[in-house]
């Protein structure tokens, strides 16, 4: 008995899917990383401005 294949399971499609997943993850994480770097740089700048 043969089953209909609704999705092409070729290596190219798998690689493209993985690439899109990684790209989406990085696109979501980048703003969080930038916000964290800004927060760290502001904390360091505030510490440098305090008188000794």
């Amino acid at each position: 008995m043969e089953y209909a294949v609704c999705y092409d399971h070729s290596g190219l499609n798998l690689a493209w899917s993985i690439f899109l997943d990684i790209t989406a993850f990085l696109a979501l994480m980048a703003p969080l990383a930038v916000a964290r770097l800004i927060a760290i740089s502001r904390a360091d700048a505030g510490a440098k401005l305090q008188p000794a």
Side-chain angles (χ1 to χ4, degrees):
M1 176 184 262
E2 294 184 23
Y3 295 99
V5 177
C6 298
Y7 182 75
D8 182 17
H9 296 286
S10 69
L12 184 61
N13 284 343
L14 178 62
W16 183 248
S17 176
I18 291 170
F19 172 75
L20 290 178
D21 288 343
I22 292 172
T23 303
F25 175 77
L26 292 177
L28 291 173
M29 295 305 292
L32 298 174
V34 169
R36 179 74 176 142
L37 288 173
I38 291 171
I40 290 172
S41 68
R42 286 183 180 168
D44 288 344
K48 290 177 183 175
L49 294 176
Q50 292 178 354

